[in-house]
Amino acid sequence: MTRRVGRPIATDRAAVARTALALFEERGYDSVSMADIAEAAGVGRRSLFRHARSKADLVWDGAGPAADEMGSRLRCAPAGVPMLVAYREAFVGAMESAAVDLVATRSRLRLIVRHAELRAAAPQHLAETAEVLCGFVEDRRPELAGTVGLQVVAEALGAASFAALRWWATAPDERGERSLREAVEEALEALAVLCGPASAS
Amino acid sequence: MTRRVGRPIATDRAAVARTALALFEERGYDSVSMADIAEAAGVGRRSLFRHARSKADLVWDGAGPAADEMGSRLRCAPAGVPMLVAYREAFVGAMESAAVDLVATRSRLRLIVRHAELRAAAPQHLAETAEVLCGFVEDRRPELAGTVGLQVVAEALGAASFAALRWWATAPDERGERSLREAVEEALEALAVLCGPASAS
């Protein structure tokens, strides 16, 4: 197969995704076609489709590297650190690492919040994150292995993180990285509230 | 508009959904068309499409009545009862009430677990449930109003319930209603584990 147009997309996938995000912000997600993206990115349409089957794939691109980075950090967390603290540090650390482009992430989340089509793609694109979370919970709470509780705890952590990211991305003013940490801290504290004194009273 | 075929669908929506579920189980979800369902249910295709735009709508039908029933029960829960207990009783009570057909629910969940297309429709069909949960959490924890924590707690409760339902529906042996309660209890206990002694140690 010969490629007539453009540069090798495999080495530049992140750049293509950034071009797509810029187009979505400029013209609106619904108005931009895959052909528009290929043209703006200077890649052939067939090359583009080989790597991203849909606009949703381009928006969600980045979830994989973030999950990988978080997974490495979770595996390195010292056993003595409480579970929620270990999780908070790994999650915030991954988001603030070189593996994640926070500006693009913010733009991605704002699109996801606004478009039902993109939200519907969440389970598919967060499958790796879900797996990383299940592994972490099983390491920390081996007594939950094989029970519905493993799924519940992993999903609660995932939901808390995703809510924190959405809150951070859609805050009306421009917030810096420190506020992402604050959102995550607030989200995880709220989970603790679930079984805090008031709920047990 | 005259309807040439069948009985009035509005009064028999649940029956049409049951017919669809039976066809999905018999022939496989992917092999059944909306036309097949209309024919088997004895309703016109246009009538069917007026009430359900897709097979996913027919599988998810039932989430609305369950959310309504749970909402009523949550609003009636005495204030002195701890939040997780009030939630557990309202959720299990709703699932075991006349508002919910547990046999159909089991069949629905088994389809949802197996088909990505159906899982992708979850946010849309669980929107009412999410709203009911947010209202409940805001009543119980007014200090969380306007914070990311409200979303986190509501989503954690929703994720726990949905995981419990999936666990119950996909258990290899036939389980009765008592096991649905057990799954919900186990799921909510696992949430409490998140901030239990081991995580704080």
Side-chain angles (χ1 to χ4, degrees), chain B residues 92 96 102 168 175-185:
Chain B
V92 176
E96 292 179 346
L102 264 192
W168 163 77
R175 288 164 192 263
E177 289 170 14
R178 185 155 166 275
S179 284
L180 172 58
R181 169 174 285 274
E182 281 168 353
V184 173
E185 282 172 357

Side-chain angles (χ1 to χ4, degrees), chain B residues 1-184:
Chain B
M1 247 187 289
T2 49
R3 196 183 288 134
R4 282 197 223 158
V5 194
R7 41 202 159 131
I9 191 175
T11 58
D12 224 355
R13 184 180 164 132
V16 173
R18 271 197 302 274
T19 301
L21 292 173
L23 282 184
F24 296 150
E25 296 224 330
E26 196 183 306
R27 301 190 209 161
Y29 179 73
D30 292 325
S31 316
V32 174
S33 68
M34 287 291 272
D36 296 335
I37 296 163
E39 197 192 329
V43 298
R45 283 170 66 172
R46 287 176 61 182
S47 300
L48 177 60
F49 275 104
R50 213 172 299 135
H51 293 273
R53 280 163 308 168
S54 65
K55 293 189 287 178
D57 281 2
L58 287 162
V59 173
W60 277 99
D61 193 67
D68 287 346
E69 181 69 25
M70 186 174 71
S72 313
R73 285 165 186 261
L74 285 173
R75 281 187 295 276
C76 297
V81 176
M83 182 163 84
L84 285 182
V85 175
Y87 177 69
R88 184 188 69 206
E89 292 308 309
F91 180 75
V92 176
M95 297 310 294
E96 292 179 346
S97 77
V100 173
D101 177 340
L102 264 192
V103 174
T105 298
R106 186 182 170 88
S107 164
R108 290 182 156 115
L109 282 156
R110 293 163 77 104
L111 287 163
I112 289 165
V113 166
R114 279 198 298 268
H115 297 277
E117 170 192 332
L118 291 170
R119 287 197 301 280
Q124 173 195 346
H125 290 281
L126 294 176
E128 195 187 336
T129 304
E131 226 173 273
V132 166
L133 283 170
C134 281
F136 169 64
V137 174
E138 197 166 349
D139 271 356
R140 290 283 172 149
R141 305 287 176 152
E143 77 278 12
L144 289 180
T147 71
V148 65
L150 183 71
Q151 200 74 25
V152 167
V153 173
E155 285 185 19
L157 290 176
S161 321
F162 194 36
L165 281 175
R166 294 197 310 267
W167 180 89
W168 163 77
T170 56
D173 51 322
E174 288 292 325
R175 288 164 192 263
E177 289 170 14
R178 185 155 166 275
S179 284
L180 172 58
R181 169 174 285 274
E182 281 168 353
V184 173

